[in-house]
Structures are given as structure tokens and as C-alpha cells.
Amino acid sequence: MGRRNVDVEAVSTAGPATIYALLTDGTTWPRWSPIDSFELERPGDPPPEGVGAIRVLRLGRTTGRDEILELVPNQRIRYATLSGVPVRDYLGTVELEPLGDGTTRIHWYSSFVPKVFGSGAIVERSIRRFLQRCATGLAEYTSDKPDTSAT
């Protein structure tokens, strides 16, 4: 089975610092994403949700566990999904790109290998829909927030 890729985008009128602050604080995810609840299984470095943190995110009957792999302040978060979706080797990245007009592009992409032969298209469509809802929700939620970056 081949590796699948999902790539979605949204644009927010908020600056990267505002968006990054929400991405790195799992307690906010139920406010702007389809996620119903968040729990921190293991803190990272730096605490609480730095590199190595494991987040438990619930959506309906699905419980996913993500490990934070990389944090580049106000630019990027990279994570791996450890369980909860029917895939192997899931890697996700959210990159924040200032567009020069005061807006920020939220570029959310992932790659994975489906666990079940023949399920790739269905799993890819579900993940694409979920990630687009996350990116769009984050853009809409932050578009009325002031920029928190230092000037």
C-alpha cells in the first residue's frame, strides 16, 4: 500500500503568534476544531505541551493520540498520530505563513499509510475533511482575535 498525502489550507486575518498559541494549547481545540475533548496524557519539554507531549483528542467515538515532534514558535508544529485512526506512520504538520497583508496562511498537511488494503481513498477523504474543518475552524476563530506577537 502506498503512502497517502493530504494537504489543506485556510487564511486567517490573525497573525501567526495568535494562531500558534491556539495550536500549541490542546485545551483550546474544542473551541475551534471538531474535537469534542482534550486530555494531556504525557507532558512534553517544555511543559506542558512541548516536544514529546502526548495529547488525547476525542471526536465522537474516536479517540486519537498525537505526539508532538517539533515546535517552531509562530511557524510550525509537527506531530505523529500514535493511535485512533486506521493508518500507520501518520505524520502531520501545520505551517503558518504570514502573507504580507496582515493575514496568515494555515497550511495543514499529513501523510500516512492505510492499515487496510483498499481503504486508502476512503481514509484519505475522511482525514482531508477533518483537517479542513480544523484549518477553517482555526482561521475563523482567530480572525477576530488581536495578534499576540511582540511588536
Side-chain angles (χ1 to χ4, degrees), residues 43-81:
D45 183 27
E49 294 181 57
V51 173
I54 296 180
R55 298 168 156 186
V56 178
L57 304 166
R58 290 181 181 83
L59 172 60
R61 296 185 331 228
T62 302
T63 300
R65 293 173 60 247
D66 292 347
E67 180 177 1
I68 304 299
L69 301 176
E70 178 187 31
L71 295 170
V72 179
N74 305 328
Q75 295 177 34
R76 179 175 51 249
I77 179 172
R78 185 166 289 142
Y79 63 97
T81 295

mmCIF file of all heavy atoms in Angstrom, residues 43-81:
data_model
loop_
_atom_site.group_PDB
_atom_site.id
_atom_site.type_symbol
_atom_site.label_atom_id
_atom_site.label_comp_id
_atom_site.label_asym_id
_atom_site.label_seq_id
_atom_site.Cartn_x
_atom_site.Cartn_y
_atom_site.Cartn_z
ATOM 1 N N PRO A 43 3.183 15.076 29.553
ATOM 2 C CA PRO A 43 3.724 16.401 29.248
ATOM 3 C C PRO A 43 4.981 16.291 28.394
ATOM 4 O O PRO A 43 5.651 15.258 28.370
ATOM 5 C CB PRO A 43 4.033 17.002 30.620
ATOM 6 C CG PRO A 43 4.072 15.868 31.563
ATOM 7 C CD PRO A 43 3.304 14.734 30.963
ATOM 8 N N GLY A 44 5.276 17.386 27.723
ATOM 9 C CA GLY A 44 6.470 17.436 26.884
ATOM 10 C C GLY A 44 7.496 18.388 27.457
ATOM 11 O O GLY A 44 7.407 18.819 28.601
ATOM 12 N N ASP A 45 8.461 18.732 26.628
ATOM 13 C CA ASP A 45 9.528 19.640 27.025
ATOM 14 C C ASP A 45 9.591 20.788 26.038
ATOM 15 O O ASP A 45 9.888 20.556 24.877
ATOM 16 C CB ASP A 45 10.855 18.888 27.058
ATOM 17 C CG ASP A 45 12.008 19.755 27.533
ATOM 18 O OD1 ASP A 45 11.766 20.712 28.300
ATOM 19 O OD2 ASP A 45 13.143 19.484 27.120
ATOM 20 N N PRO A 46 9.287 22.013 26.446
ATOM 21 C CA PRO A 46 8.941 22.405 27.812
ATOM 22 C C PRO A 46 7.487 22.036 28.134
ATOM 23 O O PRO A 46 6.667 21.906 27.235
ATOM 24 C CB PRO A 46 9.129 23.922 27.806
ATOM 25 C CG PRO A 46 8.851 24.328 26.396
ATOM 26 C CD PRO A 46 9.336 23.178 25.548
ATOM 27 N N PRO A 47 7.189 21.862 29.434
ATOM 28 C CA PRO A 47 5.822 21.547 29.845
ATOM 29 C C PRO A 47 4.881 22.705 29.534
ATOM 30 O O PRO A 47 5.330 23.850 29.482
ATOM 31 C CB PRO A 47 5.933 21.326 31.353
ATOM 32 C CG PRO A 47 7.391 21.316 31.672
ATOM 33 C CD PRO A 47 8.123 21.920 30.537
ATOM 34 N N PRO A 48 3.613 22.522 29.367
ATOM 35 C CA PRO A 48 3.021 21.191 29.385
ATOM 36 C C PRO A 48 3.010 20.502 28.018
ATOM 37 O O PRO A 48 3.101 19.292 27.949
ATOM 38 C CB PRO A 48 1.596 21.462 29.847
ATOM 39 C CG PRO A 48 1.288 22.835 29.326
ATOM 40 C CD PRO A 48 2.597 23.582 29.361
ATOM 41 N N GLU A 49 2.922 21.246 26.911
ATOM 42 C CA GLU A 49 2.716 20.590 25.619
ATOM 43 C C GLU A 49 3.865 20.795 24.646
ATOM 44 O O GLU A 49 3.669 21.033 23.462
ATOM 45 C CB GLU A 49 1.396 21.061 25.005
ATOM 46 C CG GLU A 49 0.192 20.612 25.813
ATOM 47 C CD GLU A 49 -1.111 21.060 25.203
ATOM 48 O OE1 GLU A 49 -1.366 20.734 24.040
ATOM 49 O OE2 GLU A 49 -1.874 21.746 25.909
ATOM 50 N N GLY A 50 5.085 20.668 25.156
ATOM 51 C CA GLY A 50 6.255 20.770 24.295
ATOM 52 C C GLY A 50 6.539 19.464 23.581
ATOM 53 O O GLY A 50 5.726 18.532 23.568
ATOM 54 N N VAL A 51 7.710 19.375 22.983
ATOM 55 C CA VAL A 51 8.117 18.187 22.243
ATOM 56 C C VAL A 51 8.053 16.965 23.157
ATOM 57 O O VAL A 51 8.502 17.005 24.301
ATOM 58 C CB VAL A 51 9.531 18.369 21.652
ATOM 59 C CG1 VAL A 51 10.032 17.075 21.026
ATOM 60 C CG2 VAL A 51 9.530 19.499 20.630
ATOM 61 N N GLY A 52 7.445 15.897 22.651
ATOM 62 C CA GLY A 52 7.273 14.669 23.419
ATOM 63 C C GLY A 52 5.932 14.556 24.118
ATOM 64 O O GLY A 52 5.566 13.478 24.589
ATOM 65 N N ALA A 53 5.183 15.645 24.177
ATOM 66 C CA ALA A 53 3.855 15.592 24.805
ATOM 67 C C ALA A 53 2.964 14.643 24.007
ATOM 68 O O ALA A 53 3.058 14.562 22.778
ATOM 69 C CB ALA A 53 3.223 16.979 24.843
ATOM 70 N N ILE A 54 2.106 13.934 24.709
ATOM 71 C CA ILE A 54 1.098 13.103 24.051
ATOM 72 C C ILE A 54 -0.261 13.669 24.417
ATOM 73 O O ILE A 54 -0.609 13.785 25.596
ATOM 74 C CB ILE A 54 1.203 11.622 24.441
ATOM 75 C CG1 ILE A 54 2.539 11.065 23.950
ATOM 76 C CG2 ILE A 54 0.022 10.829 23.861
ATOM 77 C CD1 ILE A 54 2.773 9.604 24.280
ATOM 78 N N ARG A 55 -1.012 14.023 23.373
ATOM 79 C CA ARG A 55 -2.357 14.578 23.521
ATOM 80 C C ARG A 55 -3.384 13.509 23.171
ATOM 81 O O ARG A 55 -3.205 12.772 22.210
ATOM 82 C CB ARG A 55 -2.563 15.732 22.553
ATOM 83 C CG ARG A 55 -1.665 16.911 22.747
ATOM 84 C CD ARG A 55 -1.776 17.817 21.556
ATOM 85 N NE ARG A 55 -1.407 19.184 21.872
ATOM 86 C CZ ARG A 55 -1.526 20.175 21.027
ATOM 87 N NH1 ARG A 55 -2.009 19.976 19.814
ATOM 88 N NH2 ARG A 55 -1.158 21.392 21.376
ATOM 89 N N VAL A 56 -4.447 13.469 23.936
ATOM 90 C CA VAL A 56 -5.571 12.587 23.635
ATOM 91 C C VAL A 56 -6.725 13.479 23.195
ATOM 92 O O VAL A 56 -7.183 14.340 23.952
ATOM 93 C CB VAL A 56 -5.974 11.737 24.865
ATOM 94 C CG1 VAL A 56 -7.174 10.867 24.552
ATOM 95 C CG2 VAL A 56 -4.788 10.903 25.347
ATOM 96 N N LEU A 57 -7.154 13.300 21.947
ATOM 97 C CA LEU A 57 -8.206 14.121 21.349
ATOM 98 C C LEU A 57 -9.378 13.224 20.991
ATOM 99 O O LEU A 57 -9.203 12.208 20.319
ATOM 100 C CB LEU A 57 -7.661 14.825 20.095
ATOM 101 C CG LEU A 57 -6.410 15.681 20.326
ATOM 102 C CD1 LEU A 57 -5.755 16.046 19.013
ATOM 103 C CD2 LEU A 57 -6.763 16.925 21.111
ATOM 104 N N ARG A 58 -10.568 13.622 21.448
ATOM 105 C CA ARG A 58 -11.763 12.799 21.200
ATOM 106 C C ARG A 58 -12.735 13.528 20.276
ATOM 107 O O ARG A 58 -13.002 14.717 20.445
ATOM 108 C CB ARG A 58 -12.451 12.476 22.514
ATOM 109 C CG ARG A 58 -11.661 11.514 23.361
ATOM 110 C CD ARG A 58 -12.357 11.161 24.685
ATOM 111 N NE ARG A 58 -11.523 10.261 25.459
ATOM 112 C CZ ARG A 58 -10.525 10.647 26.236
ATOM 113 N NH1 ARG A 58 -10.229 11.913 26.370
ATOM 114 N NH2 ARG A 58 -9.812 9.752 26.907
ATOM 115 N N LEU A 59 -13.253 12.767 19.323
ATOM 116 C CA LEU A 59 -14.283 13.243 18.411
ATOM 117 C C LEU A 59 -15.302 12.128 18.281
ATOM 118 O O LEU A 59 -15.026 11.089 17.676
ATOM 119 C CB LEU A 59 -13.692 13.589 17.039
ATOM 120 C CG LEU A 59 -14.688 13.913 15.934
ATOM 121 C CD1 LEU A 59 -15.538 15.118 16.298
ATOM 122 C CD2 LEU A 59 -13.956 14.152 14.625
ATOM 123 N N GLY A 60 -16.458 12.317 18.916
ATOM 124 C CA GLY A 60 -17.463 11.255 18.918
ATOM 125 C C GLY A 60 -16.899 10.014 19.583
ATOM 126 O O GLY A 60 -16.354 10.082 20.682
ATOM 127 N N ARG A 61 -16.981 8.879 18.870
ATOM 128 C CA ARG A 61 -16.478 7.614 19.412
ATOM 129 C C ARG A 61 -14.992 7.396 19.120
ATOM 130 O O ARG A 61 -14.418 6.393 19.538
ATOM 131 C CB ARG A 61 -17.278 6.449 18.848
ATOM 132 C CG ARG A 61 -18.730 6.478 19.258
ATOM 133 C CD ARG A 61 -19.492 5.252 18.784
ATOM 134 N NE ARG A 61 -18.954 4.676 17.570
ATOM 135 C CZ ARG A 61 -19.654 4.328 16.510
ATOM 136 N NH1 ARG A 61 -20.946 4.484 16.491
ATOM 137 N NH2 ARG A 61 -19.074 3.786 15.456
ATOM 138 N N THR A 62 -14.385 8.317 18.401
ATOM 139 C CA THR A 62 -12.975 8.177 18.025
ATOM 140 C C THR A 62 -12.080 8.887 19.028
ATOM 141 O O THR A 62 -12.306 10.043 19.361
ATOM 142 C CB THR A 62 -12.736 8.769 16.616
ATOM 143 O OG1 THR A 62 -13.577 8.095 15.686
ATOM 144 C CG2 THR A 62 -11.291 8.618 16.200
ATOM 145 N N THR A 63 -11.067 8.173 19.498
ATOM 146 C CA THR A 63 -10.073 8.745 20.399
ATOM 147 C C THR A 63 -8.713 8.625 19.734
ATOM 148 O O THR A 63 -8.227 7.520 19.499
ATOM 149 C CB THR A 63 -10.062 8.013 21.757
ATOM 150 O OG1 THR A 63 -11.345 8.138 22.349
ATOM 151 C CG2 THR A 63 -9.018 8.590 22.686
ATOM 152 N N GLY A 64 -8.121 9.760 19.419
ATOM 153 C CA GLY A 64 -6.798 9.779 18.798
ATOM 154 C C GLY A 64 -5.745 10.208 19.786
ATOM 155 O O GLY A 64 -6.021 10.973 20.711
ATOM 156 N N ARG A 65 -4.552 9.694 19.582
ATOM 157 C CA ARG A 65 -3.411 10.075 20.430
ATOM 158 C C ARG A 65 -2.318 10.617 19.525
ATOM 159 O O ARG A 65 -1.855 9.913 18.629
ATOM 160 C CB ARG A 65 -2.905 8.875 21.212
ATOM 161 C CG ARG A 65 -3.893 8.371 22.244
ATOM 162 C CD ARG A 65 -3.449 7.058 22.902
ATOM 163 N NE ARG A 65 -2.184 7.177 23.591
ATOM 164 C CZ ARG A 65 -1.055 6.559 23.205
ATOM 165 N NH1 ARG A 65 -1.033 5.791 22.146
ATOM 166 N NH2 ARG A 65 0.059 6.718 23.903
ATOM 167 N N ASP A 66 -1.924 11.858 19.772
ATOM 168 C CA ASP A 66 -0.896 12.518 18.972
ATOM 169 C C ASP A 66 0.305 12.868 19.837
ATOM 170 O O ASP A 66 0.146 13.356 20.953
ATOM 171 C CB ASP A 66 -1.420 13.821 18.363
ATOM 172 C CG ASP A 66 -2.492 13.604 17.307
ATOM 173 O OD1 ASP A 66 -2.682 12.460 16.857
ATOM 174 O OD2 ASP A 66 -3.134 14.603 16.934
ATOM 175 N N GLU A 67 1.497 12.653 19.294
ATOM 176 C CA GLU A 67 2.724 13.051 19.978
ATOM 177 C C GLU A 67 3.325 14.250 19.251
ATOM 178 O O GLU A 67 3.485 14.235 18.029
ATOM 179 C CB GLU A 67 3.739 11.912 19.994
ATOM 180 C CG GLU A 67 5.025 12.296 20.699
ATOM 181 C CD GLU A 67 6.030 11.157 20.801
ATOM 182 O OE1 GLU A 67 5.752 10.054 20.299
ATOM 183 O OE2 GLU A 67 7.100 11.391 21.394
ATOM 184 N N ILE A 68 3.670 15.279 20.014
ATOM 185 C CA ILE A 68 4.305 16.460 19.446
ATOM 186 C C ILE A 68 5.765 16.122 19.125
ATOM 187 O O ILE A 68 6.520 15.707 20.005
ATOM 188 C CB ILE A 68 4.245 17.661 20.426
ATOM 189 C CG1 ILE A 68 2.813 17.976 20.838
ATOM 190 C CG2 ILE A 68 4.947 18.885 19.815
ATOM 191 C CD1 ILE A 68 1.898 18.368 19.719
ATOM 192 N N LEU A 69 6.151 16.329 17.865
ATOM 193 C CA LEU A 69 7.502 16.008 17.416
ATOM 194 C C LEU A 69 8.403 17.231 17.273
ATOM 195 O O LEU A 69 9.612 17.142 17.481
ATOM 196 C CB LEU A 69 7.458 15.290 16.061
ATOM 197 C CG LEU A 69 6.671 13.992 15.997
ATOM 198 C CD1 LEU A 69 6.656 13.466 14.572
ATOM 199 C CD2 LEU A 69 7.241 12.969 16.961
ATOM 200 N N GLU A 70 7.796 18.361 16.877
ATOM 201 C CA GLU A 70 8.592 19.562 16.635
ATOM 202 C C GLU A 70 7.729 20.795 16.843
ATOM 203 O O GLU A 70 6.560 20.812 16.442
ATOM 204 C CB GLU A 70 9.122 19.564 15.196
ATOM 205 C CG GLU A 70 9.928 20.790 14.842
ATOM 206 C CD GLU A 70 10.293 20.869 13.373
ATOM 207 O OE1 GLU A 70 9.539 20.378 12.515
ATOM 208 O OE2 GLU A 70 11.352 21.449 13.089
ATOM 209 N N LEU A 71 8.318 21.804 17.451
ATOM 210 C CA LEU A 71 7.665 23.101 17.616
ATOM 211 C C LEU A 71 8.645 24.185 17.188
ATOM 212 O O LEU A 71 9.758 24.251 17.712
ATOM 213 C CB LEU A 71 7.266 23.329 19.079
ATOM 214 C CG LEU A 71 6.216 22.382 19.658
ATOM 215 C CD1 LEU A 71 6.120 22.573 21.162
ATOM 216 C CD2 LEU A 71 4.880 22.617 18.993
ATOM 217 N N VAL A 72 8.230 24.997 16.242
ATOM 218 C CA VAL A 72 8.996 26.171 15.832
ATOM 219 C C VAL A 72 8.077 27.353 16.106
ATOM 220 O O VAL A 72 7.084 27.545 15.402
ATOM 221 C CB VAL A 72 9.402 26.115 14.345
ATOM 222 C CG1 VAL A 72 10.185 27.370 13.969
ATOM 223 C CG2 VAL A 72 10.203 24.843 14.051
ATOM 224 N N PRO A 73 8.347 28.112 17.180
ATOM 225 C CA PRO A 73 7.412 29.152 17.612
ATOM 226 C C PRO A 73 6.937 30.058 16.473
ATOM 227 O O PRO A 73 7.730 30.567 15.685
ATOM 228 C CB PRO A 73 8.209 29.932 18.658
ATOM 229 C CG PRO A 73 9.129 28.887 19.233
ATOM 230 C CD PRO A 73 9.524 28.040 18.049
ATOM 231 N N ASN A 74 5.615 30.191 16.424
ATOM 232 C CA ASN A 74 4.913 31.056 15.471
ATOM 233 C C ASN A 74 5.084 30.645 14.008
ATOM 234 O O ASN A 74 4.714 31.394 13.111
ATOM 235 C CB ASN A 74 5.315 32.518 15.654
ATOM 236 C CG ASN A 74 5.107 32.965 17.076
ATOM 237 O OD1 ASN A 74 4.198 32.506 17.764
ATOM 238 N ND2 ASN A 74 5.955 33.856 17.540
ATOM 239 N N GLN A 75 5.627 29.440 13.782
ATOM 240 C CA GLN A 75 5.843 28.974 12.413
ATOM 241 C C GLN A 75 5.316 27.584 12.131
ATOM 242 O O GLN A 75 4.691 27.358 11.091
ATOM 243 C CB GLN A 75 7.339 28.980 12.078
ATOM 244 C CG GLN A 75 7.965 30.336 12.067
ATOM 245 C CD GLN A 75 9.455 30.247 11.808
ATOM 246 O OE1 GLN A 75 9.927 29.384 11.076
ATOM 247 N NE2 GLN A 75 10.209 31.140 12.417
ATOM 248 N N ARG A 76 5.610 26.618 13.015
ATOM 249 C CA ARG A 76 5.294 25.233 12.658
ATOM 250 C C ARG A 76 5.100 24.357 13.888
ATOM 251 O O ARG A 76 5.770 24.517 14.901
ATOM 252 C CB ARG A 76 6.429 24.656 11.808
ATOM 253 C CG ARG A 76 6.228 23.227 11.392
ATOM 254 C CD ARG A 76 7.298 22.694 10.441
ATOM 255 N NE ARG A 76 8.656 22.918 10.888
ATOM 256 C CZ ARG A 76 9.519 23.754 10.301
ATOM 257 N NH1 ARG A 76 9.165 24.457 9.257
ATOM 258 N NH2 ARG A 76 10.741 23.882 10.786
ATOM 259 N N ILE A 77 4.208 23.397 13.742
ATOM 260 C CA ILE A 77 4.044 22.303 14.698
ATOM 261 C C ILE A 77 3.989 21.013 13.887
ATOM 262 O O ILE A 77 3.323 20.944 12.858
ATOM 263 C CB ILE A 77 2.780 22.484 15.586
ATOM 264 C CG1 ILE A 77 2.630 21.312 16.555
ATOM 265 C CG2 ILE A 77 1.534 22.671 14.749
ATOM 266 C CD1 ILE A 77 1.523 21.496 17.587
ATOM 267 N N ARG A 78 4.752 20.014 14.337
ATOM 268 C CA ARG A 78 4.767 18.713 13.661
ATOM 269 C C ARG A 78 4.403 17.655 14.701
ATOM 270 O O ARG A 78 4.859 17.733 15.844
ATOM 271 C CB ARG A 78 6.144 18.459 13.059
ATOM 272 C CG ARG A 78 6.202 17.184 12.239
ATOM 273 C CD ARG A 78 7.436 17.097 11.374
ATOM 274 N NE ARG A 78 7.291 18.069 10.293
ATOM 275 C CZ ARG A 78 8.295 18.789 9.808
ATOM 276 N NH1 ARG A 78 9.499 18.664 10.291
ATOM 277 N NH2 ARG A 78 8.087 19.639 8.827
ATOM 278 N N TYR A 79 3.602 16.700 14.289
ATOM 279 C CA TYR A 79 3.118 15.681 15.219
ATOM 280 C C TYR A 79 2.974 14.333 14.520
ATOM 281 O O TYR A 79 2.938 14.255 13.288
ATOM 282 C CB TYR A 79 1.766 16.104 15.819
ATOM 283 C CG TYR A 79 0.663 16.231 14.793
ATOM 284 C CD1 TYR A 79 -0.232 15.185 14.577
ATOM 285 C CD2 TYR A 79 0.520 17.381 14.027
ATOM 286 C CE1 TYR A 79 -1.239 15.294 13.618
ATOM 287 C CE2 TYR A 79 -0.485 17.496 13.075
ATOM 288 C CZ TYR A 79 -1.354 16.452 12.875
ATOM 289 O OH TYR A 79 -2.343 16.552 11.926
ATOM 290 N N ALA A 80 2.899 13.281 15.318
ATOM 291 C CA ALA A 80 2.644 11.934 14.822
ATOM 292 C C ALA A 80 1.397 11.413 15.522
ATOM 293 O O ALA A 80 1.260 11.580 16.741
ATOM 294 C CB ALA A 80 3.821 11.009 15.114
ATOM 295 N N THR A 81 0.503 10.797 14.764
ATOM 296 C CA THR A 81 -0.664 10.161 15.372
ATOM 297 C C THR A 81 -0.258 8.740 15.744
ATOM 298 O O THR A 81 0.187 7.963 14.891
ATOM 299 C CB THR A 81 -1.868 10.179 14.425
ATOM 300 O OG1 THR A 81 -2.248 11.550 14.227
ATOM 301 C CG2 THR A 81 -3.051 9.418 15.014
#
